[in-house]
Amino acid sequence: MPIQVSPQFTDSKLQPGCAMEDKIDVFEDQMSGWLLRHAHALLDEKYVFRKDAGFAVLTLVTAYFEPIESYHAGLSSDRQSKVFFRRGFLRVFLNLPTTLKNNGFTDADQLAADIADEIYIHLRCGLFHEGGAKHKLLVRQDTAPLGFMLDMTTGNVGSIVIDPGRFVAEVQNHLNTYVARLRDPSETDLRQKFEAFFDHKMSPSQPTILPPPSAVK
C-alpha cells in the first residue's frame, strides 16, 4: 500500500538509490503543502475568519524553525530543541542583528539571540504546550514582521509584536532561497547536510507498523 510522504508524493518517490532531486522535491512539498500553503490560505482575504487567524497562522509557521536548522546542520534536534529553534529562527531573520546594530544596540548578536529565545518560550512553547501565546507576545498587523520593546529597568526583552502576514512572508522567502541553493550542485556542503538529516528523518531505524486497510463497504 503506497504511503503518502508529502501532499504530492508517495514513498515510490523515495526508493533506494533515488536522486537527490527527488528528496528535495519531497522536502519542499512537505514544507509548502503541509505548513506554509495553509498559513497563506488563512491570511487570504477570502477566508471569512481571517482577522482571527493570527495564532493559527503562527502555529503552522512556528513549526518551521527547528527542523530547518536540522536540515542545515545535518543533525537531529533531539534534546536541543531551544538551541535549534534559535539557530533556525536567526537563519530566517538573517538581517536581525544588523538591523539592531543600525538602531544603536551595541551587543546586537546577543540581543538577537535573546529575542529568538523569547519567541521560543512565548510563541512556540506557548502555542504547542499551552494552546496560546504567553504574556510577552502580541499579534497584530504592523509595519514589520516583528518588533520588540525592552524593559528599561532590566534591559531584558519586555514584549514582542508579530505581524503574521509579514512573518509568513519571511519564512516563505527563506524556504524559496534554501530550495534554490539545494538544487545547485555546487552547494556541496549544504546538500550533504540536508541529505544526512533527510535520510535520518525519512528512514527511521525501526520500521513503522502500518494499520490495516480500511474496510470496503
Side-chain angles (χ1 to χ4, degrees):
M1 182 176 66
I3 300 172
Q4 208 75 30
V5 295
S6 75
Q8 296 186 66
F9 304 115
T10 68
D11 56 347
S12 64
K13 177 82 164 170
L14 299 176
Q15 293 300 309
C18 67
M20 177 68 161
E21 286 64 31
D22 291 321
K23 298 177 183 182
I24 298 170
D25 287 344
V26 170
F27 161 76
E28 182 179 22
D29 195 41
Q30 288 176 343
M31 289 296 188
S32 294
W34 282 342
L35 293 178
L36 299 186
R37 180 184 303 159
H38 303 286
H40 288 299
L42 292 171
L43 291 165
D44 193 286
E45 292 182 357
K46 296 178 183 178
Y47 181 57
V48 176
F49 304 106
R50 177 173 177 260
K51 71 179 182 64
D52 301 317
F55 286 112
V57 170
L58 294 177
T59 300
L60 289 165
V61 79
T62 301
Y64 181 83
F65 300 112
E66 187 176 333
I68 205 63
E69 179 59 26
S70 287
Y71 282 109
H72 274 278
L75 300 167
S76 168
S77 65
D78 186 33
R79 301 182 187 276
Q80 299 185 78
S81 178
K82 186 176 183 179
V83 172
F84 273 62
F85 181 95
R86 180 199 306 135
R87 292 174 181 171
F89 180 87
L90 293 175
R91 286 188 187 278
V92 174
F93 291 92
L94 187 64
N95 295 324
L96 181 57
T98 301
T99 300
L100 294 171
K101 186 175 182 179
N102 291 341
N103 280 276
F105 295 99
T106 53
D107 198 354
D109 289 333
Q110 183 58 56
L111 180 55
D114 291 344
I115 291 170
D117 285 349
E118 291 294 319
I119 289 175
Y120 174 84
I121 294 167
H122 289 270
L123 180 63
R124 185 264 191 198
C125 292
L127 291 172
F128 291 179
H129 299 314
E130 299 179 7
K134 297 187 180 184
H135 68 277
K136 285 189 180 182
L137 203 287
L138 306 173
V139 174
R140 71 184 186 196
Q141 287 188 321
D142 215 316
T143 58
L146 66 108
F148 69 97
M149 295 292 290
L150 291 182
D151 183 326
M152 300 307 294
T153 303
T154 64
N156 296 330
V157 177
S159 64
I160 296 170
V161 178
I162 292 181
D163 180 318
R166 296 177 187 274
F167 199 79
V168 171
E170 291 290 326
V171 174
Q172 183 69 64
N173 180 65
H174 180 272
L175 178 63
N176 294 346
T177 302
Y178 179 57
V179 169
R181 291 181 64 197
L182 286 175
R183 296 191 188 282
D184 180 354
S186 70
E187 291 274 11
T188 307
D189 185 61
L190 191 79
R191 286 162 62 92
Q192 287 177 346
K193 288 177 178 175
F194 164 83
E195 190 168 31
F197 181 66
F198 184 92
D199 289 348
H200 166 80
K201 175 187 173 184
M202 300 303 293
S203 302
S205 58
Q206 298 297 322
T208 300
I209 300 174
L210 297 177
S214 300
V216 178
K217 294 183 179 181

